[in-house]
Amino acid sequence: MSKGARQKTPVRAEPVEARVRDRSSFDSLRTNGRDASGRSWFARNRWLLLRRLGQLAILALFLAGPWFGVWVLKGNLSASLIFDTIPLSDPLLALQSMVAGHWPYKTALIGAAIVLVFYLLVGGRVFCSWVCPVNVVTDAAAWSRRKLGIKTGRAPDASTRYWLLGGILLATAISGVLVWEWVNPVSLLHRALIFGLWGSLLAIAGIFAYDLLIASRGWCGHLCPVGAFYGLLGRTALVRVSAAQRSACDDCMDCFVVCPEPQVIRPALKQAGQTHPLILSGDCTNCGRCIDVCDRQVFKMTHRFDQRSA
């Protein structure tokens, strides 16, 4: 039965993995590199490709210095300089320093302010999907989980990451030590790639195994305090995904399958608690995968003032 011939079914409150259709039927629609609507492979993956290019470009700029002596970006994702002039600092790191009683240097504060303003405008969790190198690992785990048909496991409540964020700040205030930076997988992976500290990859392998075998999207979607911090910043962002053509939705659930935060889709797509089609949750990563996979072209990237829908 084709997508167009399927009857609409209501979206139920049970877990997403329990209500999505069999992936074999999904794959059967992908023939000759095109989907049921005739879109090419590139059209179905353009936002994913843009994200990967962006992540690789950022990593390449950091590696160009220690590897080739071309210092465009000096440092890492915690603190860096652009052309030895413009500072960029992780605002969460700056916050930890202040909580620990160590006031950051002026340069670090300026760098944190620049990054903070950027993510307040474009969306805090854009960091998670467009910059963070751990995103590649968790996306790979999610893809592998779907391909292997793994549906077992249980993820903790999504609010756990906010409790962890609060706990980290409290522990930092009590100890005077930047507790999170000892175990931050974002910093560990970046340092491993840039400086060759390969022992750090054990933690990254643990995250991959956790997401693959225990909890679907468990790390980024439920545990990572960095994601929690940037999620708080994302609530006022201008850049938004919109289910502008939601009347064309055929309830195929493809968007729920690929979305790293599927709970953000329903209010916009099904008018659950809101009438406009914008995804306004700070948890949305603006990754664009829902745009990629929807052959009905329900979704688009827009701004928070665009509340038009079909």
Side-chain angles (χ1 to χ4, degrees), residues 164-186:
L164 286 174
L165 175 61
I168 286 166
L169 294 176
L170 179 60
T172 298
I174 293 173
S175 66
V177 177
L178 304 182
V179 176
W180 175 241
E181 295 312 307
W182 286 92
V183 295
N184 184 354
V186 179

Side-chain angles (χ1 to χ4, degrees), residues 17 43 46 58 73 79 90-91 123 166 187 210 228 245 250 254 261 283 286 291:
E17 285 193 353
R46 63 189 185 280
I58 291 170
L73 271 175
D90 178 6
S187 301
Y210 176 70
Q245 301 294 326
D250 66 350
D254 288 349
E261 300 282 352
D283 290 333
N286 284 351
I291 304 174

Side-chain angles (χ1 to χ4, degrees), residues 61-93:
L61 290 175
F62 278 116
L63 292 176
W67 285 16
F68 307 110
V70 181
W71 297 97
V72 178
L73 271 175
K74 181 182 293 186
N76 53 45
L77 285 176
S78 297
S80 57
L81 282 173
I82 302 176
F83 294 116
D84 267 335
T85 304
I86 302 173
L88 297 175
S89 303
D90 178 6
L92 178 56
L93 178 60

Side-chain angles (χ1 to χ4, degrees), residues 62-294:
F62 278 116
L63 292 176
W67 285 16
F68 307 110
V70 181
W71 297 97
V72 178
L73 271 175
K74 181 182 293 186
N76 53 45
L77 285 176
S78 297
S80 57
L81 282 173
I82 302 176
F83 294 116
D84 267 335
T85 304
I86 302 173
L88 297 175
S89 303
D90 178 6
L92 178 56
L93 178 60
L95 178 60
Q96 291 177 78
S97 296
M98 289 185 280
V99 168
H102 309 297
W103 195 258
Y105 290 112
K106 180 180 178 180
T107 300
L109 286 174
I110 293 173
I114 292 172
V115 174
L116 190 67
V117 170
F118 175 80
Y119 285 117
L120 282 171
L121 291 176
V122 303
R125 296 210 62 199
V126 165
F127 170 83
C128 301
S129 59
W130 291 80
V131 178
C132 179
V134 179
N135 168 257
V136 180
V137 176
T138 56
D139 275 1
W143 180 86
S144 300
R145 188 179 174 91
R146 292 197 299 271
K147 288 295 182 182
L148 295 173
I150 300 174
K151 297 182 179 180
T152 57
R154 181 178 178 84
D157 190 274
S159 63
T160 305
R161 55 189 165 190
Y162 294 100
W163 286 105
L164 286 174
L165 175 61
I168 286 166
L169 294 176
L170 179 60
T172 298
I174 293 173
S175 66
V177 177
L178 304 182
V179 176
W180 175 241
E181 295 312 307
W182 286 92
V183 295
N184 184 354
V186 179
S187 301
L188 292 175
L189 179 55
H190 219 241
R191 289 166 187 158
L193 295 173
I194 295 175
F195 303 115
L197 303 176
W198 303 118
S200 304
L201 295 182
L202 290 175
I204 307 305
I207 290 175
F208 178 86
Y210 176 70
D211 273 26
L212 175 65
L213 302 173
I214 300 176
S216 176
R217 300 286 186 180
W219 176 254
C220 293
H222 299 83
L223 294 178
C224 181
V226 176
F229 175 79
Y230 280 108
L232 294 174
L233 297 184
R235 296 183 179 184
T236 61
L238 297 177
V239 180
R240 294 293 178 184
V241 174
S242 173
Q245 301 294 326
R246 59 190 175 190
S247 61
C249 176
D250 66 350
D251 294 324
C252 71
M253 304 299 292
D254 288 349
C255 55
F256 284 90
V257 170
V258 299
C259 181
E261 300 282 352
Q263 75 279 0
V264 308
I265 296 177
R266 191 168 182 269
L269 185 62
K270 299 301 179 182
Q271 302 184 60
Q274 68 181 54
T275 57
H276 61 78
L278 291 174
I279 297 177
L280 293 180
S281 172
D283 290 333
C284 179
T285 67
N286 284 351
C287 67
R289 285 300 282 154
C290 57
I291 304 174
D292 282 346
V293 302
C294 182

Side-chain angles (χ1 to χ4, degrees), residues 24-46:
S24 61
S25 64
F26 177 85
D27 293 335
S28 68
L29 295 174
R30 311 304 194 197
T31 57
N32 297 321
R34 296 183 178 273
D35 64 10
S37 66
R39 294 186 307 149
S40 66
W41 180 89
F42 176 80
R44 300 196 315 270
N45 293 278
R46 63 189 185 280

